[in-house]
Amino acid sequence: MKIQPASAAFTVLLGLLAAVPYSGIDINLPALAATGAALGASPSHVGLTMSAFMLSLAMAPLIYGPISDRVGRKPVVVFGLALFVIASLACAAAQSLPMLLLCRAVQGVGAASTTTTYAIIRDLFDEASARAKIGGIVVTVNVVTVIAPTAGAALLAIGGWRLIYACQAAVGVMLIAIVLWGMAESAKTVAERRLGASAVFKDYLRIVTHPVSLAFILIGAAAGSAVFAYVTGSSLYFIGVVGLQPKQYGLIFSACSAAVMLGAFLDGRLGRQGFAPADVLTVGLVLSFAAAGTMLVTTLAGWSPPALVAALLMVVALSFGLSLPNLMNATMQPLPDIAGAVGAAAGTVQMTAGAIASGLVALLFDGRTALAMAAVMAASALLALTLYLRFGRSAGRPTWVSSV
């Protein structure tokens, strides 16, 4: 029996699929040192496995998106998950760091297929229903990101770092079974559409020349960069400067993830009460800049107690939860016939921008303050708000922002 798209079970399934790329990062974090010890490599070199995974995760959707627009979402997801399973088993069996790096890159290519999740939502739901579904996915993804590091540490203690990859493979097999037997095809494929380089180029040309989709892709990338900056900078600050233990820092990180979930939940409630998505998005972007800007000002003034920094990070996380469902909805709505390509472009741009933001935080970190994190977060939040006020609100008329 197929899972009904309107059901909570379908939302959870899409959320689990969307969480595959994030879990592929978070669950392995506790095992970097143990992996390096087993393979005769330093933890910093093993950290390159994260870079390999994220690089392929950023680029592979550009291929999956146009394919899913032509052959359907379901075959793409199943193929990607199968590749993810094979690569996870290969990671578990790797005997050298170069082999592990290669397998992690392939694992990222497989995981990237689940970025078609937002295209599936665009296929099946109208604007109001899609907003609620995306909010549910955001909640599920953040539940997984909270659980994943703890699960990774437990698996490491039980059976070593290889067991972590074996469990990822098992999860992949489970998701393949559910998708095959429980999920119907959502895309309205057009048989005569060719899948050639020129056709794919035309799809992406349509996206970058479409005022609404391009505006919201850039806004989403800027807003997401603030989150990537705090993910990188918070550990450097709270552990390296404040001196918190990893478990104590984990509580702060979990609180930020809970704040994202709360924001998505509030957006869903506001939507059901008739609040326009543009209004909620405006509040979210303003709130993000206000919190990040406050952190920057207080840090420059030499007064940034850790409790205040943690509270401001939670506000930024809350605002991201409020904003994300509306950003993704606005990005996907204008070009329904190539929703897969739109989602792929949005994901790639956001991941690339986030990697740049993370790199800047690490590069500028002074070892004494939260200045690097605060500066990159404030700049990213300001850019998102500026782009929205300058291009997003006007680009969305008359369909998306007419209610503002």
Side-chain angles (χ1 to χ4, degrees):
M1 180 179 294
K2 301 296 183 184
I3 302 174
Q4 296 302 309
S7 66
F10 191 77
T11 303
V12 172
L13 172 59
L14 293 183
L16 291 175
L17 290 174
V20 169
Y22 300 95
S23 64
I25 298 170
D26 296 335
I27 198 171
N28 291 291
L29 289 175
L32 293 181
T35 303
L39 298 180
S42 67
S44 61
H45 287 163
V46 177
L48 293 174
T49 60
M50 296 296 177
S51 301
F53 184 86
M54 292 182 68
L55 181 61
S56 57
L57 193 61
M59 303 311 297
L62 293 175
I63 300 172
Y64 285 128
I67 294 175
S68 73
D69 288 331
R70 289 161 173 81
V71 305
R73 320 296 182 203
K74 187 172 177 177
V76 167
V77 172
V78 171
F79 169 81
L81 287 173
L83 189 62
F84 178 80
V85 169
I86 294 170
S88 297
L89 293 174
C91 287
Q95 299 298 317
S96 67
L97 181 58
M99 179 57 67
L100 182 60
L101 286 170
L102 176 62
C103 295
R104 280 288 276 170
V106 177
Q107 190 188 36
V109 172
S113 68
T114 63
T115 57
T116 58
T117 299
Y118 295 108
I120 293 172
I121 293 175
R122 178 62 188 86
D123 294 337
L124 296 173
F125 302 101
D126 59 22
E127 184 176 343
S129 300
R131 177 182 173 187
K133 285 291 180 183
I134 293 173
I137 289 174
V138 171
V139 171
T140 304
V141 168
N142 278 273
V143 169
V144 171
T145 58
V146 169
I147 295 173
T150 303
L155 291 170
L156 179 65
I158 294 171
W161 65 273
R162 298 182 189 277
L163 180 60
I164 295 175
Y165 290 110
C167 285
Q168 289 181 61
V171 170
V173 170
M174 178 192 70
L175 288 174
I176 289 173
I178 296 174
V179 170
L180 280 175
W181 285 285
M183 190 172 79
E185 177 56 56
S186 65
K188 301 173 179 64
T189 56
V190 182
E192 64 268 18
R193 293 180 64 189
R194 295 186 303 108
L195 184 61
S198 61
V200 172
F201 176 79
K202 289 178 180 178
D203 284 352
Y204 285 120
L205 185 61
R206 284 181 63 192
I207 295 168
V208 300
T209 56
H210 194 287
V212 178
S213 283
L214 179 61
F216 283 104
I217 285 173
L218 296 177
I219 295 164
S225 293
V227 176
F228 276 93
Y230 95 61
V231 169
T232 300
S234 59
S235 61
L236 294 174
Y237 172 71
F238 285 110
I239 296 176
V241 177
V242 179
L244 296 184
Q245 296 298 313
K247 289 183 179 180
Q248 294 172 311
Y249 166 70
L251 294 176
I252 296 175
F253 191 85
S254 296
C256 288
S257 294
V260 176
M261 289 187 277
L262 177 60
F265 175 77
L266 288 175
D267 176 65
R269 291 294 297 271
L270 292 171
R272 286 190 291 272
Q273 293 177 15
F275 285 84
D279 294 338
V280 179
L281 179 55
T282 301
V283 171
L285 294 177
V286 170
L287 192 62
S288 179
F289 173 62
T294 300
M295 188 189 305
L296 177 59
V297 170
T298 56
T299 301
L300 289 172
W303 185 76
S304 55
L308 175 63
V309 174
L312 291 172
L313 289 178
M314 291 176 202
V315 174
V316 172
L318 174 71
S319 68
F320 187 67
L322 276 173
S323 303
L324 183 59
N326 300 293
L327 282 169
M328 289 305 301
N329 205 8
T331 302
M332 303 292 291
Q333 286 296 325
L335 298 169
D337 59 314
I338 54 169
V342 175
T348 295
V349 173
Q350 186 176 88
M351 187 68 69
T352 302
I356 293 172
S358 297
L360 283 174
V361 172
L363 182 65
L364 299 175
F365 180 59
D366 59 12
R368 297 176 287 103
T369 69
L371 181 59
M373 175 176 66
V376 175
M377 287 178 63
S380 299
L382 177 60
L383 179 59
L385 181 58
T386 302
L387 287 171
Y388 177 61
L389 295 177
R390 176 64 180 85
F391 300 108
R393 290 166 67 95
S394 60
R397 287 190 175 96
T399 57
W400 190 75
V401 250
S402 58
S403 56
V404 178

